[in-house]
């Protein structure tokens, strides 16, 4: 709902002037995400007093500001101090496609600087460009300056952060979460920042994650899906398989939801229109790191006693690409199902592959450093690197996806920001792998 109450609201905020405190009312930690469709943009931010949830915005070329109200919810950190903050959500609905907007969060004098984002083009037929990574902390966020530069150059339409934020958002009574979200603002206030939960978000039943991020669709943002260009993206929580103290019901609910979501995306009509199905979640189904037990635990892949395993769903519905993080490294697999390689052909493994391709990209940079690999890679492992970095993704059309890995600091002698790996995923037919 659009309200044109600008003058009135200015009046209210002045009238409250007596106990006005700029520090507590100032909007901060501003970030964007897609709403129910890609021309609905959700603006989320925090204040430390209860303030009006309002965003003003205008089309770049126009002079009229529109004013939109949303709502806020108090979020209380689970630590000893029970620190409160108000998390505000405003949805800018039915925006023009492929259009730059200016926006301002809050009301004078407690308002943000002018910010700006661009909506994606309409329909399916455009090149979707994404930065993808996981495991970025407030400290040692090695990739951040590179990402900022890329975002300034408008290299991406959105970002996927595949779990593990801040290290950890709940630390120091939630202040680490605040610091992280402030650090993210230059990225996340300029383009949709889409997420999934990681193990570092587990404190207080993932409440920092659920409260701070706004994701479309599902009743909780632990799992959801969204369409962008020729892609249906599915975000899942691998963590429901590990933090079972928060309820085994979450495993069952997610599994049932995922099956339905995949069936819908893979229906004849939808797949013809939007053929790529890409799933992302935090903990990999396959990795060959040496640091701990993580690469040998297979709960998400095979489930518990053969129940609720997710890999067979990837096969059944012909999921094209699966993206993980958690390991602080980069790893690309050959087309892979149940530990077997299913190359398209020996010469062109990624042209019409006969199984999903897996990527692990968790080396954005955090206080835990990077992870090493076991000496002898598994036959399914195609490329591995322990360099800090992130992934660039471009879905060119319904048949071609290009992926490259950027290293931001690696072997002595090599330049920073190098592309250390790249490949094309080519698919003329998007269908269940069974029988291919
Ligand atoms: C604003 O927040 C501060 C810090 O939490 C608190 O001390 C103060 O009472 C709040 N003021 C109002 C008007 O809510
Ligand atoms: C980040 O590094 C600083 C300086 O070493 C340290 O004081 C702080 O505790 C670290 N923060 C986190 C969340 O690790
Ligand atoms: C944890 O949070 C989820 C929603 O995010 C909820 O469904 C679940 O019941 C919660 N578990 C507990 C033990 O509170
Ligand atoms: C898959 O293709 C790659 C690249 O040609 C090759 O190295 C690998 O051995 C192939 N694997 C199988 C099982 O054919
Ligand atoms: C899809 O994109 C690739 C890479 O840009 C291009 O070679 C190919 O011709 C395109 N296919 C169609 C049908 O446009
Ligand atoms: Fe992790």
């Amino acid at each position: 709902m659009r309200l044109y109450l600008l003058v009135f609201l200015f009046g209210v905020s002045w009238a409250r002037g007596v106990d006005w405190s700029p520090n507590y009312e100032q909007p901060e930690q501003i970030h964007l995400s897609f709403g129910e469709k890609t021309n609905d943009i959700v603006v989320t931010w925090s204040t430390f007093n209860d303030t009006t949830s309002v965003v003003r915005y205008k089309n770049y070329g126009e002079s009229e500001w529109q004013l939109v109200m949303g709502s806020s919810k108090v979020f209380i950190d689970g630590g000893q101090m029970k620190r409160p903050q108000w998390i505000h959500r405003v949805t800018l609905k039915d925006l023009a496609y492929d259009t730059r907007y200016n926006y301002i969060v809050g009301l004078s004098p407690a308002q943000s600087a002018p910010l700006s984002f661009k909506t994606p083009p309409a329909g399916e037929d455009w090149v979707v460009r994404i930065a993808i990574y996981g495991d970025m902390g407030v400290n040692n966020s090695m990739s951040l300056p590179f990402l900022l530069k890329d975002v300034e150059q408008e290299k991406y339409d959105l970002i996927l952060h595949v779990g593990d934020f801040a290290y950890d958002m709940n630390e120091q009574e939630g202040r680490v979460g605040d610091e992280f979200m402030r650090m993210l603002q230059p990225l996340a206030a300029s383009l949709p920042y889409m997420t999934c939960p990681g193990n570092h978000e587990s404190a207080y039943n993932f409440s920092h994650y659920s409260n701070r991020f706004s994701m479309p669709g599902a009743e909780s943002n632990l799992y959801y899906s969204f369409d962008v260009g020729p892609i249906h993206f599915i975000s899942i929580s691998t963590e429901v398989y590990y933090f079972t103290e928060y309820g085994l019901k979450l495993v069952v609910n997610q599994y049932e939801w995922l099956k339905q979501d995949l069936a819908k995306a893979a229906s004849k009509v939808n797949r013809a229109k939007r053929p790529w199905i890409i799933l992302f979640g935090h903990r990999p189904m396959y990795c060959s790191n040496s640091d701990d037990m993580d690469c040998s635990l297979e709960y998400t892949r095979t489930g518990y006693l053969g129940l609720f395993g997710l890999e067979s769903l990837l096969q059944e519905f012909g999921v094209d690409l699966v993206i993980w993080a958690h390991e602080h490294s980069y790893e690309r697999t050959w087309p892979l199902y149940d530990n077997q390689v299913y190359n398209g052909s020996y010469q062109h493994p990624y042209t019409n592959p006969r199984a999903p391709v897996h990527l692990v990209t968790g080396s954005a940079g955090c206080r835990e450093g990077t992870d090493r690999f076991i000496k002898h890679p598994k036959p399914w492992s195609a490329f591995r690197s322990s360099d800090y970095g992130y992934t660039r993704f471009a879905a060119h059309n319904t048949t071609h996806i290009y992926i490259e890995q950027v290293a931001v600091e690696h072997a002595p002698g090599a330049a920073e920001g190098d592309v250390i790996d790249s490949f094309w995923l080519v698919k003329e037919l998007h269908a269940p792998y069974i029988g291919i």
Side-chain angles (χ1 to χ4, degrees):
M1 185 177 60
R2 280 169 197 170
L3 293 176
Y4 300 90
L5 292 173
L6 197 54
V7 176
F8 169 74
L9 284 164
F10 272 125
V12 170
S13 91
W14 281 118
R16 291 201 313 207
V18 189
D19 55 11
W20 172 73
S21 159
N23 293 336
Y24 297 134
E25 297 205 347
Q26 181 62 38
E28 55 171 68
Q29 310 175 39
I30 300 162
H31 52 108
L32 306 179
S33 53
F34 286 128
E36 296 305 315
K37 24 194 198 56
T38 51
N39 66 332
D40 292 350
I41 297 291
V42 182
V43 188
T44 307
W45 73 93
S46 292
T47 57
F48 291 94
N49 277 145
D50 191 4
T51 62
T52 312
S53 306
V54 57
V55 171
R56 280 164 292 156
Y57 73 97
K58 69 180 180 75
N59 191 317
Y60 208 58
E62 286 174 1
S63 52
E64 287 290 301
W65 288 91
Q66 315 249 24
L67 186 146
V68 189
M69 308 278 294
S71 59
S72 72
K73 213 177 116 190
V74 65
F75 165 54
I76 298 173
D77 170 63
Q80 281 204 320
M81 282 176 66
K82 305 281 175 233
R83 267 178 85 240
Q85 64 184 273
W86 280 264
I87 299 189
H88 305 258
R89 294 183 166 85
V90 169
T91 304
L92 314 180
K93 265 194 185 316
D94 300 315
L95 300 172
Y97 286 104
D98 207 3
T99 301
R100 183 159 286 285
Y101 284 90
N102 282 339
Y103 70 106
I104 296 173
V105 174
L107 290 171
S108 175
Q111 68 179 31
S112 73
L115 299 162
S116 148
F117 65 85
K118 189 168 159 290
T119 52
E124 287 77 34
D125 192 11
W126 52 281
V127 182
V128 181
R129 305 154 311 153
I130 314 180
I132 310 176
Y133 51 85
D135 307 74
M136 190 160 75
V138 283
N139 284 353
N140 196 31
S141 52
M142 292 291 292
S143 300
L144 187 64
F146 294 84
L147 289 162
L148 283 169
K149 206 167 107 199
D150 285 0
V151 166
E152 267 163 30
Q153 293 171 1
E154 295 183 36
K155 277 197 175 148
Y156 309 118
D157 302 293
L158 65 144
I159 288 179
L160 298 185
H161 187 143
V162 189
D164 280 4
F165 306 83
Y167 289 75
D168 294 353
M169 293 198 284
N170 61 292
E171 284 186 19
Q172 299 171 35
E173 311 283 335
R175 287 189 189 90
V176 173
D178 297 336
E179 196 184 333
F180 179 76
M181 297 307 288
R182 285 179 203 124
M183 178 185 102
L184 224 50
Q185 183 175 314
L187 290 178
S190 353
L191 81 185
Y193 201 86
M194 307 304 284
T195 59
C196 71
N199 53 302
H200 282 265
E201 284 71 69
S202 69
Y204 322 127
N205 193 10
F206 293 85
S207 68
H208 275 263
Y209 174 82
S210 327
N211 282 278
R212 289 173 185 277
F213 292 105
S214 316
M215 294 299 138
E219 62 276 19
S220 86
N221 57 7
L222 296 182
Y223 49 87
Y224 64 92
S225 64
F226 63 103
D227 296 330
V228 54
I231 311 159
H232 180 71
F233 274 112
I234 303 174
S235 171
I236 63 161
S237 170
T238 53
E239 302 315 301
V240 295
Y241 286 80
Y242 292 84
F243 295 93
T244 50
E245 64 269 34
Y246 298 133
L248 269 171
K249 204 168 177 340
L250 294 172
V251 173
V252 182
N253 291 353
Q254 174 173 262
Y255 183 84
E256 294 303 331
W257 170 86
L258 178 60
K259 243 177 23 186
Q260 279 181 19
D261 190 83
L262 281 168
K264 202 172 142 203
S267 73
K268 216 168 171 178
V269 174
N270 284 335
R271 201 123 207 211
K273 191 167 153 187
R274 204 178 292 111
W276 295 103
I277 301 180
I278 301 178
L279 179 140
F280 64 99
H282 183 63
R283 279 189 225 218
M285 283 187 189
Y286 295 96
C287 55
S288 61
N289 299 80
S290 56
D291 47 313
D292 52 27
M293 288 289 292
D294 283 340
C295 295
S296 44
L297 293 175
E298 303 209 299
Y299 297 137
T300 50
R301 193 173 83 74
T302 58
Y304 307 119
L305 305 168
L307 289 174
F308 309 117
L310 300 181
E311 191 180 29
S312 58
L313 295 181
L314 306 179
Q315 175 85 341
E316 187 181 339
F317 293 100
V319 172
D320 300 293
L321 178 67
V322 214
I323 302 167
W324 315 108
H326 188 57
E327 300 304 325
H328 301 162
S329 55
Y330 170 78
E331 187 162 21
R332 160 169 66 84
T333 74
W334 301 119
L336 176 60
Y337 180 64
D338 197 15
N339 282 299
Q340 295 286 314
V341 172
Y342 293 91
N343 287 340
S345 66
Y346 192 87
Q347 272 76 26
H348 302 287
Y350 297 115
T351 300
N352 297 320
R354 294 170 299 130
V357 174
H358 294 247
L359 276 187
V360 180
T361 176
S363 52
C366 70
R367 69 183 178 199
E368 293 176 356
T370 54
D371 291 333
R372 314 273 124 207
F373 294 100
I374 54 169
K375 202 164 188 172
H376 301 291
K378 298 276 167 71
W380 44 254
S381 185
F383 182 90
R384 322 186 290 179
S385 165
S386 292
D387 297 333
Y388 286 109
Y390 58 96
T391 304
R392 291 193 189 120
F393 166 108
H396 282 243
N397 49 38
T398 58
T399 55
H400 286 65
I401 284 179
Y402 176 73
I403 290 171
E404 66 182 25
Q405 181 66 13
V406 179
V408 298
E409 179 217 57
H410 65 114
E416 287 192 324
D418 272 3
V419 172
I420 53 165
D421 184 41
S422 69
F423 72 106
W424 284 92
L425 180 58
V426 180
K427 274 192 125 163
E428 270 124 26
L429 178 67
H430 300 262
Y433 297 106
I434 297 154
I436 289 182

